[in-house]
Amino acid sequence: MIKKIKVGIVGLGRLGRVHAYNIAFNIPNAELIAVCSVIPEEVESVSKEWGIPYVYADFGEMIKNKELDAVAILSPSPFHTEHIEMALNAGLHVFVDKPLGINVEECKLSESAVARHPNQVFMIGFMRRYDSSYKYAKQLIDQGKIGKPFLIKLTSCDPEHTIEGAIRFGANSGGLFIDMTVHDIDLARWFLQDEVEEVYAIGGSFVHKEFDDYKDADNTLALMRFKNGGMAMFHSGRNAAHGYQVETEIIGPLGSLRIAAEPRKNLCTIFDQNGIVNECSQSFQERFNEAYLEEMKEFVRCIVTGEKPGITVHDGTMNTQVAFAATQAFHERRIVKL
Ligand SMILES: NC(=O)c1ccc[n+]([C@@H]2O[C@H](COP(=O)([O-])OP(=O)(O)OC[C@H]3O[C@@H](n4cnc5c(N)ncnc54)[C@H](O)[C@@H]3O)[C@@H](O)[C@H]2O)c1
């Protein structure tokens, strides 16, 4: 019989529950044995409905559980650094969702914690790298299909219907660049295989003034130049009327690639009294369902084989650093050099 990797998870919110479900039911060689959240109803419902033996309100208590091999950290972003270090010190393999930290100092602390534990797997969740369309685009670029890409245009918008959650979550999100654009920054660095040299960014609270209270915005634009001359432009938003839109265009001398040029729910077109209708995906959970599973499978596979994940803790630092520079450019109305 195969040995199952025993995993505990902290955070059972919007994304934590998705990962918890995948670990519990969709990864044959993993087992969810412990859950932790500061919201008692969340741990109770998951433990009762899914039969999870150990429940905790305190992360420090959970990682004392000697049966654990690994933890998945899905707590709010400002807790990531602390939770990463605690888990690594307890001898556990660590998966943490993005961002690595909400500023570069935090990320550096995590980098040195990871360096002190070279025999434990550390993986950061930038799930788009595990989405089949993005993976395919990367393969095509690596094969030279469009030549060396020089421009990337990236859009990421949450739907208007989740705006209440976004406003509630906003105070702890680190801001739109660190919370949302960071995914696109990761993609641009991955596709261009290069690092950002300078950043300019603007934005505003055009519909939901609440974001002004956090010195944040409901829509932002960033423009970046990469060290080898590549360019990228980023639109991030919180209130797309039609649904959840993540779209990427990669342009090279021999052609271009577009991923999800229309953020369609699926390939079914409806012909009815409204005309010809293509429905739109409505949430990150729906659009990237497969990618969340694939990245967690990769984490477990690396624990079993002793291999290292393709995405590193340093990628986490670089992504936060660029997102932080964009935040600075937006606040200070200037070009920020890295
Ligand atoms: N990769 C993605 O597409 C994506 C999408 C959403 C969220 N995220 C990331 O996942 C993380 C969680 O986001 P979310 O939207 O699920 O948040 P959420 O607010 O919905 O849930 C947070 C969870 O953490 C728990 N929690 C809070 N403080 C805690 C503490 N001190 N100790 C233990 N548990 C604590 C809460 O009880 C809750 O269960 C964030 O870092 C976010 O950036 C990534």
Side-chain angles (χ1 to χ4, degrees):
M1 205 166 91
I2 52 165
K3 175 188 172 326
K4 288 197 174 198
I5 302 299
K6 296 188 173 177
V7 187
I9 190 166
V10 57
L12 292 169
R14 294 182 311 164
L15 186 58
R17 216 180 147 95
V18 173
H19 279 306
Y21 188 86
N22 281 337
I23 298 163
F25 301 109
N26 290 332
I27 304 181
N29 54 348
E31 188 179 357
L32 185 68
I33 65 158
V35 291
C36 173
S37 163
V38 290
I39 302 173
E41 302 79 53
E42 285 182 352
V43 278
E44 253 171 55
S45 78
V46 164
S47 96
K48 266 197 200 140
E49 285 167 34
W50 303 350
I52 309 301
Y54 300 108
V55 298
Y56 301 89
D58 180 58
F59 182 65
E61 287 302 312
M62 180 170 83
I63 58 174
K64 286 185 197 157
N65 186 325
K66 292 287 172 226
E67 290 180 39
L68 283 175
D69 299 303
V71 287
I73 299 174
L74 276 301
S75 47
S77 308
F79 292 101
H80 288 184
T81 314
E82 182 189 339
H83 286 168
I84 289 168
E85 180 152 21
M86 288 167 74
L88 287 170
N89 286 345
L92 300 169
H93 302 288
V94 172
F95 174 93
V96 61
D97 218 280
K98 55 58 63 178
L100 181 59
I102 57 171
N103 58 51
V104 179
E105 291 70 33
E106 283 192 3
C107 294
K108 295 275 180 204
L109 289 176
S110 294
E111 275 204 52
S112 48
V114 171
R116 286 196 303 277
H117 298 91
N119 298 326
Q120 287 155 243
V121 174
F122 175 86
M123 180 164 165
I124 177 147
F126 279 99
M127 80 296 180
R128 293 185 193 177
R129 294 192 187 203
Y130 294 86
D131 172 76
S132 51
S133 304
Y134 281 106
K135 271 202 310 206
Y136 187 58
K138 173 73 170 148
Q139 272 172 23
L140 293 177
I141 292 169
D142 290 349
Q143 289 162 9
K145 189 85 180 160
I146 61 166
K148 188 172 163 34
F150 56 83
L151 169 61
I152 309 196
K153 299 193 257 178
L154 310 102
T155 298
S156 289
C157 290
D158 274 329
E160 171 66 25
H161 68 76
T162 59
I163 195 70
E164 274 181 27
I167 292 169
R168 234 186 0 261
F169 181 78
N172 276 328
S173 73
L176 191 51
F177 294 105
I178 286 186
D179 188 35
M180 175 70 97
T181 318
V182 75
H183 281 294
D184 294 306
I185 293 166
D186 184 58
L187 287 179
R189 291 179 54 254
W190 191 47
F191 287 134
L192 290 177
Q193 285 295 295
D194 199 3
E195 297 299 346
V196 174
E197 183 176 83
E198 60 182 16
V199 181
Y200 184 58
I202 56 176
S205 298
F206 297 94
V207 183
H208 298 285
K209 297 292 172 204
E210 293 88 335
F211 291 103
D212 285 342
D213 298 341
Y214 313 137
K215 294 201 175 120
D216 198 4
D218 59 22
N219 278 269
T220 55
L221 274 182
L223 205 56
M224 302 190 192
R225 185 198 306 278
F226 281 69
K227 290 193 169 138
N228 292 317
M231 304 178 285
M233 52 190 275
F234 305 74
H235 168 213
S236 304
R238 302 192 190 268
N239 60 319
H242 54 288
Y244 180 70
Q245 177 161 15
V246 169
E247 175 188 353
T248 308
E249 184 175 9
I250 307 152
I251 300 170
L254 305 179
S256 61
L257 305 172
R258 291 186 80 164
I259 298 122
E262 287 177 5
R264 294 175 60 162
K265 181 183 177 71
N266 54 38
L267 293 179
C268 178
T269 302
I270 304 166
F271 296 75
D272 67 4
Q273 71 277 15
N274 297 314
I276 303 170
V277 179
N278 289 318
E279 288 180 285
C280 179
S281 65
Q282 291 300 324
S283 65
F284 61 81
Q285 296 94 331
E286 179 188 350
R287 167 65 182 87
F288 288 110
N289 189 29
E290 167 216 8
Y292 294 125
L293 175 59
E294 289 305 313
E295 68 177 353
M296 197 53 78
K297 278 187 182 165
E298 175 65 359
F299 175 57
V300 172
R301 192 188 69 78
C302 287
I303 297 173
V304 173
T305 62
E307 286 174 41
K308 297 278 180 203
I311 183 157
T312 66
V313 65
H314 187 63
D315 286 311
T317 302
M318 295 311 291
N319 293 336
T320 291
Q321 185 172 19
V322 176
F324 195 75
T327 311
Q328 245 183 328
F330 159 56
H331 286 158
E332 299 170 17
R333 296 184 165 211
R334 66 180 177 94
I335 294 174
V336 174
K337 294 200 182 287
L338 280 109

